[in-house]
Structure formats: C-alpha cells, structure tokens
Amino acid sequence: MNYTIFGESHGPAIGVVLTGVPAGLELDMDAVAAEMARRAPGQDPTATARKEADQVEILSGVFEGKTCGTPLAAIIHNTDTRSKDYSKLKDLPRPSHGDYAGSVRYAGCNDYRGGGHFSGRLTAPLVFAGAVAKQILAPMGITVSSRVSMVGGVADPTEEQINEIILAAKADGDSVGGAIAGTVTGIPAGHGAPDLGENAEGIFARHLFAVPAVKGLSFGAGFAFASMRGSQANDPFYMDGDTVKTRTNHSGGINGGITNGMPLTFEVAIRPTPSIAREQQTVSLSRKADETLIINGRHDPCIVRRALPVIEAAAALATVELLGK
Amino acid sequence: MNYTIFGESHGPAIGVVLTGVPAGLELDMDAVAAEMARRAPGQDPTATARKEADQVEILSGVFEGKTCGTPLAAIIHNTDTRSKDYSKLKDLPRPSHGDYAGSVRYAGCNDYRGGGHFSGRLTAPLVFAGAVAKQILAPMGITVSSRVSMVGGVADPTEEQINEIILAAKADGDSVGGAIAGTVTGIPAGHGAPDLGENAEGIFARHLFAVPAVKGLSFGAGFAFASMRGSQANDPFYMDGDTVKTRTNHSGGINGGITNGMPLTFEVAIRPTPSIAREQQTVSLSRKADETLIINGRHDPCIVRRALPVIEAAAALATVELLGK
Amino acid sequence: MNYTIFGESHGPAIGVVLTGVPAGLELDMDAVAAEMARRAPGQDPTATARKEADQVEILSGVFEGKTCGTPLAAIIHNTDTRSKDYSKLKDLPRPSHGDYAGSVRYAGCNDYRGGGHFSGRLTAPLVFAGAVAKQILAPMGITVSSRVSMVGGVADPTEEQINEIILAAKADGDSVGGAIAGTVTGIPAGHGAPDLGENAEGIFARHLFAVPAVKGLSFGAGFAFASMRGSQANDPFYMDGDTVKTRTNHSGGINGGITNGMPLTFEVAIRPTPSIAREQQTVSLSRKADETLIINGRHDPCIVRRALPVIEAAAALATVELLGK
Amino acid sequence: MNYTIFGESHGPAIGVVLTGVPAGLELDMDAVAAEMARRAPGQDPTATARKEADQVEILSGVFEGKTCGTPLAAIIHNTDTRSKDYSKLKDLPRPSHGDYAGSVRYAGCNDYRGGGHFSGRLTAPLVFAGAVAKQILAPMGITVSSRVSMVGGVADPTEEQINEIILAAKADGDSVGGAIAGTVTGIPAGHGAPDLGENAEGIFARHLFAVPAVKGLSFGAGFAFASMRGSQANDPFYMDGDTVKTRTNHSGGINGGITNGMPLTFEVAIRPTPSIAREQQTVSLSRKADETLIINGRHDPCIVRRALPVIEAAAALATVELLGK
C-alpha cells in the first residue's frame, strides 16, 4: 500500500490516493470519523479556533461498503477558508516555516495562503489513510497506540500538566514542543531486512518524517543507548511457552532491521509550532532586506496532542508497508 | 544514484553496486583508500584485532580512471575468515543481534558465520560508496563531516576520554554506546519536498537507519525541541549580502522537508555493540529452551569511532539522492 | 513526474494525481479542453452515444493559473451514469473484458458497473495528464503526434475508409481493431540507458501498455525487423551541419535503449472492443456452468480513433519520465 | 525480486545482483549451467567464434547450497578479451549500435571496447538471473518456454531453414533479424492490475525491452488484432471442470492487465545484429565529418537462436515480479 497526499490549505479540497489497498475490507466509517475527530481542530480549549467538519468524501475504490482493491481516493473540501490577505507571506517568510525553502523549491509558485501544501491541515487525509491502515491491521491482531511522552520539557506529563504548559505558552504568545511515544504490538517476528529501503527502522522513518514538525525519531532505548553499556542494553532472550521473547525491549522490537516479535516502540520529537504571536525577525524576499513580522491568525500553541492520531496514522501505514516487504 | 550492498562476512566477497553514477568523475582512489582506512579494523588499540586489507576491486563502471555512468560494481574479498566453528550461533541467537530475527526472516537459511549479511563488515562497501558520493559532492562545494558527540554517556568527549571509557568497558568484558553528530555544508536551498519519500529528513533517514547499530536520528535541535518554546526554537532570518540566512540553525537546515541553505545538521544514536564477553541469557531455537551463551572472538568494545566514516558515507549518499530529487 | 489514476465508471468521480510536476507552468486550460474533446464520446457518428462533458476540476497543485510543483489532483465527476441493472455482469463475465480476471484479482469486490476501474472512461484523466505533459514538453520543442496506421486490416486508411469499416462492423453488431503510429520529435540524443527500468523502450512500454486495449508495441521498423537484413536495417549516420543524424530511422530514434536525436517512432496494436452486440459464450461464476451472454448498452464499434489522444498522452508522459531519468 | 546487471565487455568481470530472492531455494547449479550453455557463444557453426567458459562465481546470498534471502551477487570473469585496438570506435560510431547515443549519454566516458556495457555479453548474467527465476517458478508449476517464430522473414522456420538463412547472410557479410514466441504456463488467474506499473503487459515489457535488440513486443494475437473483428478476437469462456478457461487465447492470458489463468503468450521482434562486415556510412565525432567504416571482429550473423534463453530469462524474471505484485 502506498499513498499520495495532495492539496493546499486554501484550495478547493485536500485529499489522498491510496494504492495497493487489499480488496474486501469492510470500511468502518465510524472508526474513520473517530480518528478524524481526534485530529480535528476546535475540539480543545487550548487549540486553534478554525472549525471544519473534515468530512471525508470517498471518490473511488470502495463499492458497497467494501474496498475494491483499486486506488482509493478520498477528499475533504476546504470550507472555512477566510478571505483575508495572505499576500505578505509571499514576501516575508515566517521563521522556521516552509515558506522560504518552499519559495526556492517551487520557484515562487507555491500557494502560500495558510501554508499551502505545507499546512498542518494536510495531516487530515493522512489520518484518514492511517484509519484505513489500522483497519487492515486489526484483523491480524496488530494495534497502534501513542501517548505524549514530553511536552515543554516535562516528561510523561498528565493531562492537567499538558493544559497548564500549553496555556502558559499561549498567555506568552508562544508555543511549546514535545515528544510522542508510539507502540505497535502484534507484528510477527521476521519482517524487514538489514538492507537499504527494507529495514524496519527505515520504513518507519520514511513515514514518520513525512509528518510535519517531526524532527527526531528513535527506536527502543533510542538516544539513551549513548549512555548505556552493552550488558545493560542487550535484551536477554527467554522462552514464553513456544514463543521466543526478550526480558527487556531496549531494541524496540527490531534487531538487524528485522522485527523480533516484541512490541515495536519508537519516539518522535515534535518541534514547537513556529507560528507564534510575537514579533520575529525575517527578511523581505523582494527587497532583500531585513524585516520584522507579526503573524496573525489562528494557531495552536501546541500541536503535540493533536499529533497523536497523525503519528499513529504514519505508524500504521509504515506497519502495512513493512508487512508487505 | 542508488546502491545495493551484498555479501556475507565469511562468504567469498562483499561488495556494492552503484547505479546512476554521473559519468566522467575522475575517481581519486587515494581518497577512497583513506576513507576505507578510517573504518578498517585493527588500527586502534581499543578496536577489534581482525586485520584485513579491505582492498577494493572495481569490476565495472570505471574506464581509464573515470566513471562511465554505467553501474559501478566494487568488491572486497574476504581473506581473514577464521575456520572456527560458528555452528552454535545457529541454535543460540546472540541477544540484540540480528541472529534470531534473521533466522525467522530467512527461514533459517541465512549465513550465520560471523554475523553473515548482518556483519558490521558490510559497512566497508558502504564506506566505498560514500567515498564516491563525497567525490561527486566536492566539486559542488558540499562537504560532509562528523564527530563523536557522546560516548558512554559523556557528551562531546575528547580522544583521551573516549579511550578511557572504551578501555574501562573492555576491562569489564563490556561495550559502550554513543552518538555521532554530522554536518553537511553547502547544500543549496530548495532541495526536498514535504511529501512522503521526498522530504529531506526522510531521505537522510532512509540512508542512516540502513547503517547497523543506528537506533535514533534527529535533525537540528532534535529531541531538545521537546523542551523548547517556539520563540527559542525559531530561527530568525536575516540577509547576509544577497543570501538569506538564519541566525540560529535549530531547524538543522531543513524547513518543511526542504533545505533552506543552512548547514544540514543531524545526530544519530549508536547502540552499544551487542557482542560482549559476559555470559548472557539466550534460548536454544532447536530445543525451545532457555540457555546461556558466552560469545568468543574478536569484538570492538565500541564502534562509535569507526562508525564516523560510515555515518558520513550514508550522509553523503543521502545528499546525492536529495540533490537528484 | 508520476501519475496515479483512480476511479470507477459509475462511482462519484474519476481522476488523477500528478506528482513531480515542474513548478511555474502556466496551464493552458483551452489546450487541455481540446485534448479532452478529442477523446470524448458522442462526437462522432460511429462512436458511443454516452455524452458527458468530461469537465475537469483541478483540486490542487495549481495556483493563480500556474502549477505549484506540489501534487496536482484533478477530477471529473461522473454524471451520465444510468441506473440500469449491471448485476448480471458480476456473474457472467464478458469475454475478453477484465471482468473475470478482475473478479479473481479483487476477490469479487471490484465495482463491476460499467466496467468499474477497467472502463475506457478512465482514459479521460489520462488524457488530462497527457495534456499537462504536452505543455511541459512544448517549450523544449518536443511534440507528440499520432495517426491511425491500420483499422480492420486496412493499412494507412483514409477517414472515409475508417468510417466505412466501422459502420460495416456496427451493422454486423461487431467491432474492429486497429493500430496507431506515434511520433515524438525533438527529444535530444542521450536520454535513457541500456539497463532495466531505464531504457527508452521500456519507459514508453510502461506507459503505453497501461492504456486499455493496447496489446502490442514496437519501435521503428518493429516486427518488420524480423524480415530484414542488417544492411537494410542499419541507419547510416551523416552530418547535418553540426548535428549527427541518420539517413533512415529504422531504429525509431533509440539505440542501446538511449535516444539518438532522431524522431522517436512507435506503433501500438489496439484490440477490437470486446463489447459486441452478438451472443457470446461465457460462464456463470456462481453456478460454475457454461452460459450465453448478450451485452446491451452503448459501445463503440471501434475505439482506435478516440484512442489517438490517449496514446499521445501516454507517449507524452513517457517522454517526460524519460527526460527525468 | 529485482536485479541489477553490471559490467563491460572488456572490464574485469560482468555480473548481477539479485535482491528479494526467496530464502531456502536449493540452487540447481547444473540447471543454471545448462541455461548458460544455451546462450554461450561458440557452440554453433553459425555463431561467433569467441569462446568463453561463462563460469559463474557466486559471491553472496547462497549458503550451503541454498539461497539465504540476502542479496545474491554472481560474477563472470572476462577472460577472452583480445587486446586489439578498439579506439577507432570511439570516434566512428557503428550504425544502429549504442555507440553514438551512449557517447552522448555518458559524456564520452563509456567503455567502448567491445560494446562496453551495451555488449550482448551482458545477457550472460541475465540468463543466470533467469535461471534462478525459473527455479523459483518451477515448484509452483510455472514453466517458461520459447521458440524462433521467424527468422529472415520466414515464419515458424525449421532448424534447417534457420541454418540456411543465417549462412546465406553470413556469406554476404550480412546479418538477419527474427522473432521469438514465448509462453509462460501455470500462472494463476488474478495477478496484475490495470494500473500503471502493475499491469501484466507492462511488467513483461519492462523486462523484455531491457534485452538488447528487442524492438517489438506483443501479447496474444498482438498486431494481428488490427485485422480482426471483436467476434473473432474475443475468447469465449467455458468451464473445464471447476476451472474457468477460454476456448481461444487471443488475449495471451491477460485481460485488463490481469492474468486470466490461460497461458501467457507473447512475441518479441529481434532486430538484425547491427555488426555486419560490409562498409557502412558513419561520421567522425571528433571531426564532425562523414566517414565510412568497416567493422572487423567476431560477430554473429544472427542472434535469434542464442536469444531464446535470454528471452526466457526476462520472461521468468517478469513472472516472478508479477507474482509479487
């Protein structure tokens, strides 16, 4: 299964085409809607005020409620696109956004309104694709879950702490970053390979780094390995009935690029939303001169919580790809 | 440019085939040899005693000293393969090695001698490929460098500290992990895309996670983003003459999956070598019973230093791929 | 540039997503419409009566009239889908259609109405994609053209002959096959490679065999080579000013899988439309018994003329891919 | 399974790397040698006098006689490379060879000796790869066969006729082209898809057009469809016990890009060897002037018979790819 996401934040619609979908999957559209709702804006006092139904319209690849096996196209119409003037973004790139790099890459022809193709809104079709992937995995006993493992420097925060940290940042016109820990259980041993393009870590990385704002990814003990000795890090094998297991899982379920039957565990770093309310230093691309910029509009001070279903979607899609290798 | 690495530690030869090599590159074989020497075993009092010349033989794709543009195949003969009995590895997988996952993946048919296709020895052809990549990049003003950013929990260690930490581990029959920080300078702005398979982070991840022992990868501030606010994390733009630059580089040279012209910076986590001299718990795959294992033979207590040219090779190959997108 | 076509004949919409579109191309929508019109049904007394506007709606990748460089999605709504009962097709596969092979491939879950994803209607988004490709090629001086080289066994037929042959078949409740000769002029020498996946013939084949009803493809003299001697077949070189040319072009502009600067010429065989009005032998898939079938509905007795813009589209897309290799 | 062929006719060695080989296949090296022998030169009074053992050396991916599942690299050393002067080929491209197109493609850096990477000798590793593919297919009951369907314009020639035609051409210092008909039996229904990159015809085309000298490819009735009516062309279904079959097989076992369970039949056109003994017109690339050329050396007047195992190899590799889709 492969996917292509298309769309711009203020164009007619955003969407996704999934190819290689197995035929005969009875799509649970309520489960899809539930995933979409987890990501949707406007559900949370700390989040952006933009409210859109994120109503998915399936154009192809589903017949009488079941997947056909042919390419599955789904779109979400853009409805709440305010007509305000975005044109200054064309000249004054927002720090740490894709504006400047994108204007070079796309020869100044990218749709800059609302971030265009770089918008976090493009994660909506990704969540849709991930919901399909989860439904492919569920009958195999494979589940994908995630939790906020850090926000604003606080490890393993509670809901209450998360809200506090976010609201404090919001009060300062600022944003905060975080991290998400993910787990995929039920992947049998023996998927992946040590080679380029086939190792389990690389396949997960391909999908997870395609999520905007992800700037780090680790498996198992991850960067903590740099402070460990082999005798601590190695996962001792034992027999659990007829099944080979490991007593610890520092390897995150992967050895030599191949799954070993233990839960696949990973963590991603999420950068703070670059859209903050404070004055920032930028440049005028037309005048080639330093400038200051104040970004107006609706912006989440922290996207980490809304990113949970997005990260799960990417992990589910990675798992489907891994199983197909 | 793409590459395929082949070979087993105790087979006749290991090697690599590079496709899409630009034609007309005058290969500097001394520079290639220098890279190979950085990775080679036996050069360092703390490293493994296995001594092999790692002599690269080019079979195709080079004519009269220049690349032809046709597939470039290079092999390294395995010469120092000791005839000792490896057969117990077939039944007793080494903890945190690819032995068990590999035996499932390859239906028990993988060559287990000396780690087979999972051996760190397979990084030799990778370093060769990376040396070619570096020579492709150099005329564009692009350089790749790296340093040990952590070893055994000590950040930014000196050579002296590294030796101490490694020798202490060796004395304990143990090994240590670490981290490597890499930098690619000179990549112009505008390479990559936000999309799956095209974003700069994903392309680097594809190459870096294909290096054995790499269990984490981050760009710019990486996991430190989880403790930062947007006002700290954002990289302010300014004009340096006619060039757009940023005052900080927390983004690691990438915004929205696209290079922004600043140095591309990344860090990888390297797990401790799983081959340690201590008794470990494992299982007998044939008898499905718990067992203990003592690994004999020549093993590095720390591969982080030898991994530097390997990580640079992967980064150079990633850069060449990125520029071709 | 790559493309994915999606949709079913009687679903909500059909469409295409183009990735890797160069940024900044000013899309000439009149030229697009003209191409669409060449393929559209209902324009010709010999062709099917189904009338649909084939109105293309662009959802993404175009901003202020220019391509953004981001994925370009375009859809065509299905409007003239008659509500008649197609369910017997599910049980009685039409000879030489994709019905039976598709029901096996897609576990009986494919949308069989009007041919579903196998419908010739899916060539409409292909023509759209080809129109974009032609506009990418035109500024490079590259043009794609085609003509009916055979219909119903008559070589190089005139319009009058084509009409006669088709109407005679129609009167018999039958259909006729044909062939199309295509030419791409202006491709510079030096594109392609002898290798798998990179040779010019293979790239054209990938695109042309993806067109429904294409069952043969040849380059230059093609199957006539089987009756030629080398002294007749070889194309003598000569200098035309500073340009290397060949006096004949039996090679169809390709030597060793690489373009040689001469026009790229090819021919495709088009099978007769399998939908004919006569009684045919089939089987009942549910009862596993022989059956007879009469296909009702609107069907072209010959698709060769309408296939011209489709074949040109595939050739234009192949050329864009070839130039990117 | 995918493959990369490397090597130049007069370099140290030619070879192939196969990836995605299933693990545990007991390689029958006698069967491999038999396939190699069918292609080898010097076995036939009408063929080239160059004699090489074509001894395959397996470097990786096979352990204790079985495939490991890891990349399988095999090489053939070039032994009979005469030291004669090929340098005039650099300046005087041979008509209808890859010399000129290759010199443009590879910026004049290709190894021109003996055709370099364009040499028909590169089909030796292809035959090796095909022999592995055949051994993968055999246990599934899939067989690949071929026959000379035309030589020098004579359809379905006998061995005697073939020899006569070839010797007559040889006497004239000329060469002859031909065609090969191939059949793959035993592919189950339901493999492939109508889509780009997935249709059965396209997958076969990718492999078959990568064989040097192939300039045409058709399936089933192929170009004869252009002279047929639908009522003749359509393949009536019937039940053979529980199996759906067709009474004719004009479709060549493929409908809608998907196998239908009938034998997959195809035909390829083979151009006459461009190396002929007669004086030919060419150009001097350095002086940009018209020139004449006489090609010396050992050349087959007809490669059609030696191409049989090569075409079968490509078809076997295509079948393995098709089954994996």
Side-chain angles (χ1 to χ4, degrees):
Chain A
M1 199 165 81
N2 213 341
Y3 76 83
T4 306
I5 283 174
F6 57 84
E8 278 76 40
S9 183
H10 287 60
I14 59 177
V16 64
V17 180
L18 283 160
T19 55
V21 182
L25 177 72
E26 204 148 339
L27 261 195
D28 179 344
M29 290 305 290
D30 290 341
V32 167
E35 288 293 309
M36 300 301 290
R38 289 174 71 200
R39 193 215 68 93
Q43 57 180 344
D44 172 339
T46 72
T48 174
R50 179 167 172 174
K51 281 187 178 125
E52 295 191 75
D54 279 355
Q55 189 67 43
V56 174
E57 185 187 353
I58 293 177
L59 297 183
S60 69
V62 177
F63 177 53
E64 296 177 345
K66 287 184 189 164
T67 55
C68 301
T70 51
L72 195 169
I75 61 172
I76 300 167
H77 284 278
N78 290 325
T79 52
D80 184 23
T81 53
R82 299 198 185 167
S83 57
K84 69 170 208 155
D85 185 14
Y86 277 97
S87 58
K88 81 172 173 184
L89 286 186
K90 185 167 183 170
D91 192 42
L92 302 181
R94 294 166 299 174
S96 292
H97 264 282
D99 299 346
Y100 167 65
S103 76
V104 178
R105 167 68 175 83
Y106 300 117
C109 295
N110 54 311
D111 181 352
Y112 47 79
R113 298 170 302 162
H117 188 60
F118 294 90
S119 167
R121 181 156 169 70
L122 272 288
T123 57
L126 178 55
V127 169
F128 169 79
V132 175
K134 282 184 174 182
Q135 295 187 31
I136 293 169
L137 296 172
M140 305 180 206
I142 298 174
T143 60
V144 181
S145 61
S146 67
R147 64 186 175 78
V148 175
S149 56
M150 183 171 280
V151 77
V154 176
D156 300 318
T158 65
E159 277 300 294
E160 200 179 358
Q161 284 173 303
I162 296 174
N163 286 338
E164 255 173 50
I165 291 163
I166 296 174
L167 292 171
K170 192 175 191 174
D172 294 347
D174 214 335
S175 65
V176 284
I180 289 173
T183 302
V184 187
T185 58
I187 305 179
H191 289 279
D195 305 297
L196 181 74
E198 297 186 58
N199 62 93
E201 291 100 337
I203 290 170
F204 268 70
R206 173 176 133 86
H207 286 274
L208 286 162
F209 278 119
V211 175
V214 169
K215 296 295 280 189
L217 169 64
S218 66
F219 297 89
F223 280 87
F225 276 128
S227 304
M228 289 168 90
R229 282 193 164 188
S231 57
Q232 300 167 289
N234 284 1
D235 298 311
F237 285 113
Y238 74 102
M239 295 303 308
D240 182 10
D242 267 10
T243 308
V244 175
K245 290 192 175 169
T246 61
R247 298 222 177 260
T248 53
N249 187 18
H250 298 121
S251 300
I254 306 170
N255 293 130
I258 302 174
T259 55
N260 66 9
M262 295 298 291
L264 196 157
T265 63
F266 64 89
E267 188 170 21
V268 292
I270 309 282
R271 64 173 305 144
T273 326
S275 289
I276 57 176
R278 298 174 169 204
E279 186 178 280
Q280 296 186 85
Q281 297 169 46
T282 186
V283 294
S284 160
L285 295 176
S286 62
R287 289 180 295 103
K288 300 198 175 232
D290 292 353
E291 265 287 1
T292 56
L293 173 74
I294 293 181
I295 303 172
N296 300 311
R298 309 156 292 183
H299 301 289
D300 278 357
C302 181
I303 56 162
V304 179
R305 208 154 30 184
R306 282 182 62 200
L308 292 171
V310 182
I311 294 302
E312 291 175 22
L317 288 157
T319 305
V320 170
E321 180 179 340
L322 176 64
L323 296 176
K325 286 273 170 187
Chain B
M1 199 165 80
N2 213 341
Y3 75 83
T4 305
I5 283 174
F6 56 85
E8 277 77 39
S9 182
H10 286 61
I14 59 177
V16 64
V17 180
L18 282 160
T19 56
V21 181
L25 176 71
E26 203 147 342
L27 262 195
D28 179 344
M29 290 305 291
D30 290 341
V32 167
E35 288 294 308
M36 300 301 289
R38 289 174 71 201
R39 192 215 69 93
Q43 57 180 343
D44 173 338
T46 72
T48 173
R50 178 167 172 175
K51 281 184 178 127
E52 295 192 74
D54 280 354
Q55 190 66 44
V56 175
E57 185 188 353
I58 293 178
L59 298 183
S60 69
V62 177
F63 178 53
E64 296 177 345
K66 288 185 189 164
T67 56
C68 301
T70 51
L72 194 169
I75 62 172
I76 301 166
H77 285 278
N78 290 324
T79 52
D80 184 22
T81 53
R82 297 196 185 168
S83 55
K84 69 168 205 154
D85 184 16
Y86 277 97
S87 59
K88 80 172 175 185
L89 286 186
K90 184 166 185 172
D91 192 42
L92 302 181
R94 293 166 299 173
S96 292
H97 264 283
D99 299 345
Y100 168 65
S103 76
V104 178
R105 168 69 175 82
Y106 299 118
C109 296
N110 52 312
D111 180 353
Y112 48 79
R113 297 169 302 161
H117 188 59
F118 294 90
S119 167
R121 181 156 169 71
L122 273 287
T123 58
L126 178 55
V127 168
F128 169 79
V132 174
K134 283 184 174 183
Q135 295 187 31
I136 293 169
L137 296 172
M140 305 179 206
I142 298 174
T143 60
V144 180
S145 61
S146 67
R147 63 184 175 80
V148 175
S149 56
M150 182 171 282
V151 76
V154 176
D156 300 320
T158 65
E159 278 300 294
E160 198 180 359
Q161 283 173 303
I162 295 174
N163 286 338
E164 255 173 52
I165 291 163
I166 295 175
L167 291 171
K170 191 175 190 172
D172 294 346
D174 214 335
S175 64
V176 285
I180 290 172
T183 303
V184 188
T185 59
I187 305 178
H191 289 280
D195 305 297
L196 180 74
E198 297 186 59
N199 62 93
E201 290 100 337
I203 289 170
F204 268 70
R206 173 176 132 86
H207 287 274
L208 286 163
F209 278 119
V211 176
V214 169
K215 296 295 280 189
L217 169 64
S218 66
F219 297 89
F223 280 87
F225 276 128
S227 304
M228 290 167 88
R229 281 192 165 189
S231 57
Q232 301 167 289
N234 284 0
D235 299 312
F237 285 114
Y238 74 102
M239 295 302 309
D240 180 11
D242 267 10
T243 308
V244 175
K245 290 192 177 169
T246 62
R247 297 218 179 263
T248 52
N249 186 19
H250 298 119
S251 300
I254 306 170
N255 292 130
I258 302 173
T259 55
N260 67 8
M262 296 297 292
L264 195 156
T265 63
F266 65 90
E267 189 171 19
V268 291
I270 309 283
R271 65 171 305 145
T273 326
S275 289
I276 56 176
R278 297 174 170 207
E279 185 179 280
Q280 296 185 82
Q281 297 169 46
T282 186
V283 294
S284 159
L285 295 176
S286 62
R287 289 181 294 104
K288 299 197 176 234
D290 292 355
E291 265 286 1
T292 57
L293 173 73
I294 292 181
I295 303 173
N296 300 312
R298 309 155 294 183
H299 302 289
D300 278 356
C302 182
I303 56 162
V304 178
R305 205 153 34 182
R306 283 181 61 201
L308 292 171
V310 182
I311 294 301
E312 290 175 23
L317 289 158
T319 304
V320 171
E321 180 180 340
L322 177 65
L323 296 176
K325 287 272 170 186
Chain C
M1 199 165 79
N2 213 340
Y3 75 83
T4 305
I5 283 175
F6 57 85
E8 278 77 39
S9 182
H10 286 61
I14 59 177
V16 64
V17 180
L18 283 160
T19 55
V21 182
L25 177 71
E26 204 148 342
L27 261 196
D28 179 344
M29 289 305 290
D30 290 341
V32 168
E35 288 294 309
M36 300 300 289
R38 288 174 71 200
R39 193 216 68 93
Q43 57 181 343
D44 174 337
T46 72
T48 173
R50 179 167 170 172
K51 281 187 178 127
E52 296 191 77
D54 279 356
Q55 190 66 43
V56 174
E57 185 187 353
I58 293 178
L59 298 183
S60 69
V62 177
F63 177 53
E64 296 177 345
K66 286 184 190 165
T67 55
C68 301
T70 52
L72 194 169
I75 61 172
I76 300 166
H77 285 277
N78 289 326
T79 52
D80 184 22
T81 54
R82 298 198 185 166
S83 56
K84 69 167 206 157
D85 185 15
Y86 276 98
S87 58
K88 80 171 174 185
L89 286 186
K90 185 168 183 169
D91 192 42
L92 302 181
R94 294 168 297 176
S96 292
H97 264 282
D99 299 345
Y100 168 66
S103 76
V104 177
R105 167 70 175 80
Y106 300 118
C109 296
N110 52 311
D111 181 351
Y112 48 78
R113 297 169 303 162
H117 188 59
F118 294 90
S119 168
R121 182 156 169 70
L122 273 287
T123 57
L126 178 56
V127 168
F128 169 79
V132 174
K134 282 185 175 181
Q135 295 187 32
I136 293 168
L137 297 172
M140 305 180 207
I142 298 174
T143 60
V144 181
S145 62
S146 67
R147 62 184 176 80
V148 175
S149 56
M150 184 171 280
V151 78
V154 176
D156 300 318
T158 65
E159 277 300 295
E160 199 179 358
Q161 283 172 302
I162 295 174
N163 285 338
E164 253 172 54
I165 292 163
I166 295 174
L167 291 172
K170 192 175 190 175
D172 294 346
D174 214 335
S175 65
V176 284
I180 289 173
T183 303
V184 187
T185 59
I187 305 179
H191 290 279
D195 305 296
L196 181 74
E198 297 187 60
N199 61 92
E201 291 100 336
I203 290 170
F204 268 70
R206 173 176 132 87
H207 286 274
L208 287 163
F209 278 119
V211 175
V214 169
K215 296 295 280 189
L217 168 64
S218 66
F219 297 88
F223 279 87
F225 276 129
S227 304
M228 290 167 88
R229 282 194 165 187
S231 57
Q232 300 167 289
N234 284 0
D235 299 310
F237 286 114
Y238 73 103
M239 295 303 309
D240 182 10
D242 268 9
T243 307
V244 175
K245 289 192 177 169
T246 62
R247 297 220 178 261
T248 52
N249 187 18
H250 298 120
S251 300
I254 306 169
N255 292 131
I258 303 173
T259 56
N260 66 9
M262 296 298 291
L264 196 156
T265 64
F266 65 90
E267 188 170 21
V268 292
I270 309 282
R271 63 172 306 145
T273 328
S275 290
I276 56 176
R278 299 174 171 205
E279 185 178 279
Q280 296 186 84
Q281 297 169 46
T282 187
V283 294
S284 160
L285 295 176
S286 62
R287 288 181 294 105
K288 299 197 176 233
D290 291 354
E291 267 286 3
T292 56
L293 173 73
I294 292 181
I295 303 173
N296 300 312
R298 308 157 293 184
H299 303 288
D300 278 357
C302 182
I303 56 163
V304 178
R305 206 152 34 182
R306 284 181 62 201
L308 292 170
V310 182
I311 294 301
E312 290 175 24
L317 289 157
T319 305
V320 171
E321 180 179 342
L322 177 64
L323 295 176
K325 286 273 169 186
Chain D
M1 199 165 81
N2 214 340
Y3 75 83
T4 305
I5 283 174
F6 56 84
E8 277 78 39
S9 183
H10 287 60
I14 59 176
V16 64
V17 180
L18 283 160
T19 55
V21 181
L25 177 72
E26 204 147 341
L27 262 195
D28 179 344
M29 290 304 290
D30 290 340
V32 167
E35 289 294 309
M36 300 300 288
R38 289 174 70 200
R39 192 216 69 91
Q43 57 181 343
D44 172 339
T46 71
T48 174
R50 178 166 171 175
K51 281 185 179 128
E52 296 192 74
D54 279 354
Q55 190 66 44
V56 175
E57 185 188 355
I58 293 178
L59 298 182
S60 69
V62 177
F63 177 53
E64 297 177 343
K66 287 184 189 164
T67 56
C68 301
T70 50
L72 195 169
I75 62 172
I76 300 166
H77 285 277
N78 290 325
T79 53
D80 185 23
T81 53
R82 300 198 184 166
S83 55
K84 68 168 207 156
D85 184 16
Y86 277 96
S87 59
K88 81 172 175 184
L89 286 186
K90 185 167 184 171
D91 192 42
L92 302 181
R94 293 167 298 175
S96 293
H97 264 283
D99 299 345
Y100 168 66
S103 76
V104 178
R105 168 68 175 83
Y106 300 118
C109 295
N110 52 312
D111 180 353
Y112 47 79
R113 298 170 303 163
H117 188 58
F118 294 90
S119 168
R121 181 157 169 70
L122 274 286
T123 57
L126 178 56
V127 169
F128 169 78
V132 175
K134 283 184 175 182
Q135 295 187 31
I136 293 169
L137 297 172
M140 305 180 207
I142 299 174
T143 60
V144 181
S145 61
S146 67
R147 63 185 175 81
V148 176
S149 56
M150 184 171 278
V151 77
V154 176
D156 300 318
T158 63
E159 277 300 294
E160 199 181 359
Q161 283 173 303
I162 296 175
N163 286 338
E164 254 173 53
I165 292 163
I166 295 174
L167 292 171
K170 192 174 189 175
D172 293 347
D174 214 334
S175 64
V176 283
I180 289 173
T183 303
V184 187
T185 58
I187 305 179
H191 289 279
D195 306 297
L196 181 74
E198 297 187 58
N199 62 92
E201 290 100 338
I203 289 170
F204 267 70
R206 171 175 134 86
H207 286 274
L208 286 163
F209 278 119
V211 176
V214 169
K215 296 296 279 189
L217 169 63
S218 66
F219 297 89
F223 280 88
F225 276 128
S227 304
M228 289 167 91
R229 282 193 164 188
S231 57
Q232 300 167 288
N234 285 0
D235 299 311
F237 285 114
Y238 74 102
M239 296 302 308
D240 181 10
D242 267 11
T243 308
V244 175
K245 290 193 176 169
T246 62
R247 297 217 179 263
T248 52
N249 186 19
H250 298 120
S251 300
I254 306 170
N255 292 130
I258 302 173
T259 56
N260 66 8
M262 296 297 292
L264 196 156
T265 63
F266 64 90
E267 189 171 20
V268 292
I270 309 282
R271 66 172 304 147
T273 326
S275 289
I276 56 176
R278 298 175 170 204
E279 185 179 280
Q280 297 185 83
Q281 297 169 44
T282 186
V283 294
S284 159
L285 295 177
S286 63
R287 289 181 295 106
K288 299 197 176 231
D290 292 353
E291 266 286 1
T292 56
L293 172 73
I294 292 180
I295 303 173
N296 301 312
R298 308 157 295 183
H299 302 288
D300 278 355
C302 181
I303 55 162
V304 178
R305 205 153 35 182
R306 282 182 62 201
L308 292 170
V310 182
I311 294 301
E312 291 175 24
L317 289 158
T319 305
V320 170
E321 180 180 340
L322 176 64
L323 295 176
K325 286 274 169 184

